[in-house]
Amino acid sequence: MPAPRGARARGFGYPMWMIADLDQLLDRALAVRAPLLARRDLDALRLFNGRADGVDGLVIEKFADVLIVQLHEGRLQVGMSELRRLIEELHARLKTRAVYRKWFVRDRARVSEEHAAEHTRPEPWIGTRVEPQLLIQEYGLKFIIRPYDGFSVGLFLEHRDNRRRIGELSAGRRVLNTFAYTCGFSVAATAGGAVGTASVDLHKRYLEWGKENFGANALDLTAHMFFLSDTFEFYKRALRQGRRYDLIVLDPPTFSRSRRPPRVFVLDEQLEELVTGAVELLDPGGWLLLATNDRGITRERMEAALVSAIPHRPCTLIERPELPPDFAGDPEYSKTLLARYE
Ligand SMILES: C[S@@+](CC[C@H](N)C(=O)[O-])C[C@H]1O[C@@H](n2cnc3c(N)ncnc32)[C@H](O)[C@@H]1O
């Protein structure tokens, strides 16, 4: 399949020089992931992590027997024919059914209709068309993946260990999952014994997907609530209604735009306000997991936001979790802190 129209203009790796040791880099990346690939309770992982594995702009993820290849505009410097050869070999080696390609442009707000449509086409780049959704396994949980539903397929793999940790911490707790996306943290919390969860997201279709993820794990929805809301609006309502939580997950995007109310969310400008709002809903002894993939926000700033969220409310930083091994080599990719409040 040729590169989409406009790809050259968008800067997708068309200077046709090659990285000579591409095969070696891929071999090395797979060797690092061998223990994860060998696990029977896990079949979704990142096989190649861009610059950390030696090729900026190239990310390869495996979701059961489907590969998702992300190509990042302006960073990838590999010719498309060379890349296709590499991925075809990987596809044969891992016996996958299909490879779908996602082209990431710098400014997602300016994505054309044609470009967006490329990501919802059922025909893969390589291999044969697969069903619109498949189930992956992650440490005893199942998640629904949609390989051609848009840019994202339904699960952020860098949070695999965080989801497991939230599961471990959730027994008997009331859990709030803000920016919930497809509710991965809520599912992990519920499987771990949470007495109730609240999942908050701006998009109905993600919350519906989240409910289906509960169903995929045979988890009853009775004690679980789904709020179609901006997180700050949810905070106000929850305070008014006297809702309280014992564990809160805060994993916001770097930027987002909501229509009702019209609001632009910029994490860099609102991190402290976001953390304070969460802590106001935490009962004494409550825990907060704060994560971000905003490279501009330092761990020091995150710690300061947690510790000084509410004057005179003591906070202890309990853990500074590292990224899973398939994300190693790029510690700034995503940062997580876990804190407890008196
Ligand atoms: C990076 S994803 C979060 C990933 C999620 N925490 C997980 O572990 O899968 C960002 C999500 O935040 C939602 N979102 C963006 N802005 C929001 C806002 N102001 N309030 C609530 N949700 C928002 C988006 O719809 C999207 O589902």
Side-chain angles (χ1 to χ4, degrees), residues 39-230:
R39 288 191 72 118
R40 309 195 75 168
D41 57 355
L42 184 73
D43 62 3
L45 69 153
R46 183 165 283 205
L47 297 176
F48 198 91
N49 192 26
R51 194 172 6 164
D53 283 310
V55 184
D56 201 10
L58 173 64
V59 169
I60 309 171
E61 293 186 330
K62 179 177 179 294
F63 293 94
D65 54 4
V66 170
L67 296 179
I68 303 288
V69 175
Q70 297 178 12
L71 307 171
H72 291 261
E73 179 189 32
R75 284 161 45 197
L76 188 68
Q77 294 289 303
V78 184
M80 205 39 66
S81 56
E82 173 67 350
L83 189 62
R84 187 179 173 115
R85 179 199 60 75
L86 183 87
I87 303 294
E88 276 177 347
E89 280 173 23
L90 180 67
H91 167 62
R93 184 163 159 188
L94 297 180
K95 299 185 174 59
T96 47
R97 281 189 296 153
V99 184
Y100 288 87
R101 209 170 31 165
K102 309 283 177 189
W103 303 85
F104 281 80
V105 294
R106 280 208 194 102
D107 183 359
R108 287 232 214 157
R110 286 171 207 275
V111 171
S112 68
E113 274 179 32
E114 186 201 7
H115 181 79
E118 285 162 28
H119 297 83
T120 53
R121 216 176 278 143
E123 296 312 318
W125 181 32
I126 295 166
T128 52
R129 174 179 175 160
V130 300
E131 53 281 12
Q133 62 180 45
L134 39 120
L135 278 184
I136 65 94
Q137 314 281 332
E138 185 182 271
Y139 301 146
L141 297 178
K142 297 187 182 80
F143 293 104
I144 296 166
I145 297 302
R146 298 184 176 147
Y148 43 92
D149 191 70
F151 289 95
S152 306
V153 298
L155 194 66
F156 289 101
L157 297 175
E158 67 270 28
H159 288 310
R160 182 190 310 123
D161 293 349
N162 287 338
R163 278 186 285 274
R164 183 156 66 170
R165 190 74 185 109
I166 287 297
E168 289 166 358
L169 290 171
S170 289
R173 292 198 152 115
R174 297 158 297 172
V175 179
L176 169 62
N177 181 15
T178 62
F179 306 94
Y181 186 46
T182 56
C183 306
F185 282 114
S186 314
V187 166
T190 305
V195 291
T197 65
S199 302
V200 180
D201 201 278
L202 273 183
H203 291 102
K204 186 162 191 252
R205 72 185 202 92
Y206 292 147
L207 293 175
E208 293 302 322
W209 192 333
K211 289 179 195 168
E212 290 178 48
N213 275 329
F214 272 77
N217 292 280
L219 297 171
D220 181 51
L221 285 179
T222 313
H224 304 282
M225 302 182 81
F226 299 84
F227 295 91
L228 180 63
S229 170
D230 165 75

Side-chain angles (χ1 to χ4, degrees), residues 158 161-162 299 320-325 334 336:
E158 67 270 28
D161 293 349
N162 287 338
R299 284 185 177 73
R320 296 174 176 82
E322 286 181 10
L323 281 163
S334 176
T336 302

